[in-house]
Amino acid sequence: MNAPLILSADQVQTPSPAPLAPAQAAARPIIRFEKVAKIFAARGSNAQVAALSDITLDVPEGAILGVIGRSGAGKSTLIRLVNGLERATSGRVTVDGVDISALDEKALRAERRSIGMIFQHFNLLARRTAFDNVALPLEIAGVPRREIKARVEPLLELVGLSDKRDRYPAELSGGQKQRVGIARALATRPRVLLSDEATSALDPETTNQILALLRKVNSELNLTVLLITHEMAVIKAVADRVAVIDGGRIVEEGATYDVFAAPQHATTRSFLSALTGQSLPPELADRLKPEPAEGRDAVLRIVFTGTHASDPVLSRVSRLLSVDVNIIQAQVDEIAGAPFGVIIVSVPGDAATVSAVVGAVERLHLSAEVLGYV
Amino acid sequence: MFDLSFGLLPPAIVDLIIDATQQTLYMVAVSGVLGTLAGLPLGVFLATSRKGELFAAPLANHVLGLVVNAARSTPFIILVVAIIPFTRLVAGTSIGTNAAIVPLTVAAAPFIARLIEAAIREVDQGLVEAARAMGASPLQIVAKVLLPEALPAITLALTLAAVSLLGYSAMVGAVGGGGLGDLGIRFGYQRFMPEVMAAVVIVLILLVQGVQTLGDLIARRLDKRSRS
């Protein structure tokens, strides 16, 4: 008799969000920025500097969202708002419904235990072993000694460092230090992990290992990850969603795949051009002219996405239109587990041929963009 | 008893040197411990109370800094005489080894405070940020991060303070404090006994070397940064 009563009471209390379908439930935002601004007083004067303006961003539960921006774009400030290391000047930052900006210091300290953080320079205590570093957040939380041991050892195992438990940070490689950092961040069983340029001090191979570990903890522990980086390669490797930040504003946000396939903002394009296969070879870029002319060829970028990424598009176009297609550069990649390709080709530069080729490509559900003429 | 001077000094003088060495060690040890007890919290406060820091209290930090600077800029021999009323209040007398501990402690505390402050400021701010992100309180950050991480530097700072106190203790002969410095002045200088002066200098050199070597050894044991 009780159960139905409780159920109906629940329904009365939360009438507005209709019962979510499983697919939608997975996308429930766990971190929300609502019209957040952060203004710093400039040093030595009365001037004010807006580090962040009008930030509205949702991080879906269980997702890895990457924020990419150049240094000074405000991404460090953005990530520090989530655990209250910085306070928003206006707007709200909520984590799992808790308004971080409204908490007092004591409540904030308790809340921080459910938000792990890893750092570019690892920030491990030099005088503590790997084990004791991982134990630190538990000591701070007042967990009894015996329980600490039971919690730390599985974490060291998870990050693959069981054999290094008694080593000091100076005896570990950069990648191992970051593994300790990750284990430490997970010690208090957080729901959210903040990653502050966690791979920026690491070589590419170690970076990939650390990113794979982030992927692993994300899926095994259903941990939501908010990471900031200045490298598109990091976004490409792990992020489900990407937000591009420039001048303290989010200029583009979306599923990583969509943003890679069709970047809208110049900053996004410039980050993408740093990836191989996204930019023209420099020799060609130098010769590229904006207008067509007699005898010039048109240079096109064709982006292959989704289910069409593996179609034999070029040979079809070539056959259909009897046009010679010259492949200048081609790159097929995988982003967020889906195939993604960029091919740069040249075709005869007369207007009729170019529009026929673009039309044919678009009929095959791909996008083609004329970059210029050579 | 075994003759420590290998027959170069009369036994009575050897006894005087042994007594003086004990007095010096006693004064340095007691004032060192008391000076650390006062200087450590002062140093921690100085290192953590500027604007935006853990225990931000810029005004108190500024005032305390001025007091510390004032104490440190007073020449020790002046300090000894200037605080005689305070010494009498604390020790019941202004003369003798115990009385000498008062000005030694008063001189050591601000010195140690500045050394500890410097040692703590050397700790990477990233560690403080990491501890804050874990939900540590300011006191926990001091106890679990700042002091442990600064411990090798603090050890070296206290070693330096002990060596300085050995030097200061030579001046407390002026108020009947005894010790090696007093012996050197009274016998070596005023009674024209250069062999006593030489013996005092040698004992002081050995003490300083011993303290410094021990301090270095402990600091190296505590420092885990450069192990391979």
Side-chain angles (χ1 to χ4, degrees), chain B residues 17-224:
Chain B
I17 291 175
I18 290 170
D19 280 354
T21 304
Q22 284 172 348
Q23 286 168 346
T24 292
L25 288 176
Y26 171 71
M27 288 188 291
V28 169
V30 176
S31 60
V33 168
L34 294 178
T36 304
L37 287 178
L40 186 68
L42 278 179
V44 170
F45 182 76
L46 284 171
T48 55
S49 57
R50 285 193 204 152
K51 197 178 164 209
E53 294 179 332
L54 285 179
F55 298 98
L59 186 67
N61 180 291
H62 191 67
V63 171
L64 194 64
L66 286 177
V67 172
V68 164
N69 287 346
R72 292 206 50 216
S73 51
T74 309
F76 181 65
I77 191 70
I78 308 278
L79 184 82
V80 170
V81 182
I83 65 164
I84 280 178
F86 176 70
T87 303
R88 200 173 281 140
L89 189 75
V90 175
T93 170
S94 62
I95 295 177
T97 307
N98 280 327
I101 287 171
V102 176
L104 281 172
T105 303
V106 169
F111 182 47
I112 291 174
R114 280 293 186 216
L115 291 171
I116 302 258
E117 179 191 4
I120 288 177
R121 287 205 180 278
E122 282 298 300
V123 176
D124 183 357
Q125 278 303 302
L127 300 184
V128 174
E129 186 179 50
R132 288 180 64 208
M134 287 171 209
S137 67
L139 275 178
Q140 284 177 317
I141 292 174
V142 170
K144 292 204 172 281
V145 178
L146 291 178
L147 288 177
E149 287 292 302
L151 201 55
I154 288 174
T155 306
L156 291 177
L158 293 180
T159 306
L160 178 61
V163 169
S164 300
L165 279 173
L166 275 171
Y168 285 167
S169 74
M171 286 181 242
V172 294
V175 288
L180 285 164
D182 184 39
L183 184 74
I185 294 284
R186 282 194 289 124
F187 285 75
Y189 179 63
Q190 289 162 352
R191 296 190 191 182
F192 304 108
M193 295 173 77
E195 69 277 17
V196 176
M197 187 66 96
V200 162
V201 169
I202 288 168
V203 172
L204 279 172
I205 288 173
L206 291 176
L207 286 180
V208 169
Q209 289 291 352
V211 168
Q212 190 66 52
T213 306
L214 185 68
D216 287 346
L217 185 76
I218 296 173
R220 211 162 43 239
R221 282 278 171 82
L222 293 171
D223 195 345
K224 307 296 182 190

Side-chain angles (χ1 to χ4, degrees), chain A residues 103-177:
Chain A
L103 295 177
D104 63 21
E105 273 298 317
K106 196 161 181 287
L108 186 57
R109 287 203 285 272
E111 183 62 24
R112 279 173 178 156
R113 284 171 197 155
S114 62
I115 306 170
M117 189 168 188
I118 56 176
F119 303 88
Q120 178 174 6
H121 298 295
F122 323 123
N123 293 350
L124 301 179
L125 274 65
R127 295 196 56 252
R128 279 177 174 248
T129 61
F131 181 96
D132 287 334
N133 265 290
V134 179
L136 180 61
L138 298 170
E139 289 174 25
I140 285 169
V143 175
R145 196 77 218 172
R146 186 174 304 167
E147 200 182 319
I148 287 179
K149 193 167 147 57
R151 296 262 292 266
V152 172
E153 279 172 355
L155 283 166
L156 286 173
E157 194 153 324
L158 178 76
V159 300
L161 283 181
S162 296
D163 56 330
K164 305 282 184 201
R165 54 165 284 165
D166 296 323
R167 299 287 177 170
Y168 289 94
E171 301 170 294
L172 301 175
S173 69
Q176 290 169 337
K177 284 183 208 171

